[in-house]
């Protein structure tokens, strides 16, 4: 791409991401280890009805992205969707959401760098985890510091590897099912999906518990919106990214799950083995485990890359929204000569360097698991606040009647908010999920209350 094709925003960031970058970032950012490694667990707990769960939550996330997309279409200069929460729900709620989302992103980065070390150990079992973690973190931080375009290129190829792996498995699986390929489980056929079908094979609780599992599989789909501030032709890109990407993700997820259950009867799938490995092995690929390990390694590296990108932009946003003359504003609300918020990226990456300590003590690792779960639960609250911000946007003077409007928003917005509330409530009835859910509530009441009351105090003083 010629240099003159790259436009520069008023704050110094550069619109260097093309449509292909944004599309692949959106797809690749959501398709991760939850599919490659976790599909066996979700199917074993829910059976074929897992397809219903994916379709329902796919529709809910599509509606959420339409709401976020509509706000970005009205003002594509913003770097994060949190800026709209600040604008329409107030500085206090915006501060709470911004810090909560950023902390959550840092923990996601920590989880992904831990996963990277685990997958690399498949080949290099004698190399200490901390060396692997530091190496990958330095490389991907450097990728993010150099230019947004380099980040986009890295994500493009990371996503391509995952997509090729999924398409290959779907193609192989369809061939096996159509030809009636014989396996130790019997004859491959699409009828295996409906054979012995039950909506609740492990009880109603098993079916309900699938919703949070699938929710977390889709978590991160909003990453695409964070690229809009640095994309060329942002308004046309956001339309394509929102309208096309989710359908592609559903196609990959549902297509993969259908093929898996056609080859391996759903009641014989186990939670402790990747169904992708099983399908490729049954098809006669002895190196299936190594191939899938490489794919999930790139998947984790891709997620880490996206997290660093997103965390940097969110910290930069927090800095720009802080008080004039404050330490945050002076030191982190700056853009480097390469057009990226370098200092905000560095402070986010530096915190992730705590991760190697987690591998040294079991107690720290256990605490890390709990905190990561709490931060994941917080995303439900953040998503809900983005929907409430959209409702305020519709009532504001910023509303574009001819913009990229969320369809039937009064109805669809309410459904989306109620769905998020129902998923959060369900966490209190799922074993192992209660403690993180309680932690998320306490964080919201304590830190959220502090942010709102602090802002009210400033307003009172100003009056």
């Amino acid at each position: 791409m010629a240099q003159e094709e790259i436009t520069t925003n008023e704050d110094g960031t550069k619109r260097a991401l093309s449509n292909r970058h944004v599309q692949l970032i959106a797809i690749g950012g959501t398709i991760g280890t939850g599919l490659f490694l976790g599909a066996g667990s979700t199917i074993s707990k829910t059976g074929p009805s897992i397809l219903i769960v994916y379709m329902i939550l796919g529709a809910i996330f599509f509606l959420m992205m339409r709401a976020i997309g509509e706000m970005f279409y009205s003002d594509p200069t913003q770097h994060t969707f949190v800026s709209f929460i600040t604008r329409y729900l107030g500085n206090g709620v915006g501060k709470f959401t911004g810090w909560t989302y950023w902390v959550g992103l840092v923990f996601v980065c920590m989880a992904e760098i831990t996963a990277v070390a685990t997958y690399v150990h498949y080949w290099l079992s004698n190399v200490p985890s901390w060396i692997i973690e530091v190496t990958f973190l330095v490389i991907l931080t450097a990728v993010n510091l150099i230019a947004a375009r380099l980040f986009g290129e890295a994500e493009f190829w990371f996503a391509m590897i995952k997509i090729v792996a999924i398409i290959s498995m779907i193609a192989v699986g369809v061939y096996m099912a159509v030809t009636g390929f014989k396996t130790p489980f019997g004859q491959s056929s699409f009828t295996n999906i409906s054979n012995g079908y039950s909506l609740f094979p492990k009880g109603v609780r098993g079916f309900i518990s699938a919703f949070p599992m699938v929710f977390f599989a889709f978590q991160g789909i909003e990453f695409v919106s964070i690229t809009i501030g640095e994309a060329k032709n942002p308004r046309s890109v956001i339309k394509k990214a929102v309208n096309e990407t989710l359908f592609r993700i559903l196609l990959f997820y549902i297509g993969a799950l259908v093929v898996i259950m056609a080859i391996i009867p759903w009641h014989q799938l186990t939670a402790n083995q990747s169904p992708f490995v099983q399908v490729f092995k049954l098809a006669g690929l002895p190196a299936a485990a190594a191939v899938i390990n490489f794919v999930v390694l790139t998947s984790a590296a891709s997620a880490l890359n996206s997290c660093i990108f997103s965390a940097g932009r969110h910290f930069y946003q927090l800095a720009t929204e802080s008080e004039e003359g404050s330490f945050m504003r002076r030191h982190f609300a700056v853009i480097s000569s390469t057009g990226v918020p370098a200092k905000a990226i560095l402070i986010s990456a530096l915190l992730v360097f705590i991760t190697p300590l987690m591998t040294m003590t079991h107690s720290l690792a256990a605490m890390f698991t709990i905190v990561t779960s709490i931060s994941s639960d917080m995303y439900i609250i953040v998503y809900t606040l983005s929907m409430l911000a959209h409702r305020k946007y519709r009532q504001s003077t910023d509303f574009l009647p001819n913009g990229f409007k969320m369809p039937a928003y009064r109805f669809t917005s309410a459904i989306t908010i109620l769905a998020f509330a129902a998923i959060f409530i369900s966490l209190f009835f799922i074993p192992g999920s209660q403690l993180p859910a309680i932690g998320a509530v306490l964080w919201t009441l304590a830190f959220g209350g502090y942010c709102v009351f602090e802002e009210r105090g400033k307003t009172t003083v100003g009056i």
Side-chain angles (χ1 to χ4, degrees):
M1 181 170 59
Q3 183 65 33
E4 60 267 23
E5 294 179 15
I6 303 176
T7 58
T8 304
N9 294 319
E10 289 184 11
D11 62 2
T13 53
K14 297 179 179 179
R15 293 192 175 275
L17 297 176
S18 66
N19 182 56
R20 71 180 177 91
H21 291 138
V22 175
Q23 292 294 328
L24 268 292
I25 288 167
I27 297 171
T30 304
I31 298 174
T33 53
L35 176 59
F36 292 109
L37 297 180
S41 176
T42 54
I43 294 172
S44 66
K45 290 181 179 179
T46 318
S49 56
I50 191 65
L51 299 175
I52 299 172
V53 179
Y54 268 99
M55 285 187 280
I56 291 172
L57 284 182
I60 293 298
F61 271 92
F62 171 72
L63 293 173
M64 182 191 79
M65 287 306 297
R66 282 299 298 259
I68 292 175
E70 181 178 357
M71 291 187 289
F72 267 106
Y73 190 89
S74 71
D75 185 2
T77 64
Q78 299 303 311
H79 288 284
T80 79
F81 67 95
V82 174
S83 61
F84 296 108
I85 294 175
T86 303
R87 183 183 298 179
Y88 300 116
L89 298 184
N91 292 334
V93 178
K95 182 178 180 179
F96 160 75
T97 308
W99 281 105
T100 297
Y101 192 78
W102 178 74
V103 169
L105 284 171
V106 170
F107 278 110
V108 170
C109 287
M110 290 179 174
E112 295 299 345
I113 196 64
T114 303
V116 164
T118 303
Y119 301 140
V120 171
H121 275 155
Y122 181 87
W123 295 287
L124 304 173
S125 57
N126 295 325
V127 178
S129 293
W130 72 267
I131 293 178
I132 299 169
E133 291 166 353
V134 169
T135 301
F136 271 82
L137 190 54
V138 168
I139 292 171
L140 294 180
T141 300
V143 165
N144 274 273
L145 287 173
I146 293 170
R149 178 174 169 78
L150 186 58
F151 159 79
E153 282 297 324
E155 277 305 286
F156 179 85
W157 292 108
F158 279 144
M160 281 298 293
I161 291 170
K162 289 186 281 187
I163 291 167
V164 167
I166 295 171
I167 291 175
S168 299
M169 195 214 67
I170 291 175
V172 168
V174 168
Y175 172 79
M176 292 170 72
V178 170
T179 59
F181 191 90
K182 294 287 180 65
T183 74
F185 302 105
Q187 187 170 318
S188 302
S189 171
F190 289 111
T191 59
N192 286 334
I193 300 171
S194 57
N195 185 25
Y197 175 79
S198 171
L199 183 61
F200 308 122
K202 298 292 177 69
V204 176
R205 176 173 287 187
F207 181 74
I208 292 173
S209 68
F211 279 87
M213 291 168 65
V214 175
F215 173 91
F216 296 128
F218 278 115
Q219 184 177 305
I221 196 172
E222 77 285 353
F223 276 9
V224 65
S225 68
I226 299 160
T227 65
I228 298 305
E230 290 159 75
K232 296 193 299 176
N233 305 315
R235 284 183 166 164
S236 69
V237 165
I238 192 66
K239 278 188 172 183
K240 288 183 179 179
V242 172
N243 282 338
E244 298 174 13
T245 301
L246 188 60
F247 292 117
R248 292 174 188 169
I249 292 169
L250 283 173
L251 174 65
F252 288 135
Y253 268 108
I254 292 177
L257 294 174
V258 165
V259 163
I260 288 167
M261 290 187 283
I263 308 306
I264 308 169
W266 61 269
H267 47 81
Q268 295 187 23
L269 277 164
T270 57
N272 56 2
Q273 188 175 6
S274 167
F276 276 70
V277 173
Q278 290 178 277
V279 169
F280 279 126
K281 277 186 175 178
L282 291 172
L285 181 63
V291 171
I292 296 304
N293 192 74
F294 172 73
V295 173
V296 294
L297 170 59
T298 60
S299 179
S302 167
L304 176 61
N305 196 31
S306 292
C307 277
I308 294 171
F309 179 93
S310 185
R313 270 64 182 177
H314 275 87
F315 199 82
Y316 170 75
Q317 185 73 35
L318 285 167
T320 60
E321 292 177 356
S322 61
E323 291 182 11
E324 195 71 44
S326 66
F327 178 83
M328 280 277 291
R329 186 99 172 211
R330 284 185 287 109
H331 291 277
F332 297 107
V334 291
I335 299 297
S336 70
S337 59
T338 57
V340 298
K343 290 185 177 180
I345 291 170
L346 279 172
I347 193 67
S348 301
L350 281 171
L351 285 177
V352 184
F353 273 104
I354 297 171
T355 311
L357 296 174
M358 303 293 178
T359 62
M360 298 178 187
T361 19
H362 179 73
S363 58
L364 277 176
M367 182 61 67
F368 172 63
T369 301
I370 294 171
V371 173
T372 304
S373 298
I374 292 171
S375 66
S376 292
D377 292 351
M378 287 303 311
Y379 277 55
I380 304 178
I381 296 170
V382 170
Y383 291 161
T384 303
L385 290 172
S386 71
M387 295 304 302
L388 294 173
H390 173 259
R391 293 181 73 86
K392 288 288 188 179
Y393 156 77
R394 276 298 189 102
Q395 299 162 13
S396 74
T397 55
D398 296 335
F399 171 58
L400 293 180
N402 298 319
F404 181 46
K405 294 193 295 184
M406 182 185 188
Y409 99 94
R410 291 185 185 278
F411 176 68
T412 53
S413 174
I415 287 179
T416 306
I417 292 169
L418 287 172
F420 288 153
I423 292 168
F424 192 84
I425 292 169
S426 73
L427 295 172
F428 292 94
F429 300 94
I430 300 170
S433 297
Q434 294 98 333
L435 182 60
I438 292 170
V441 170
L442 293 176
W443 171 264
T444 302
L445 292 174
F447 184 58
Y450 165 77
C451 291
V452 171
F453 284 115
E454 181 192 40
E455 191 58 38
R456 285 183 180 175
K458 289 179 184 177
T459 306
T460 304
V461 171
I463 293 171

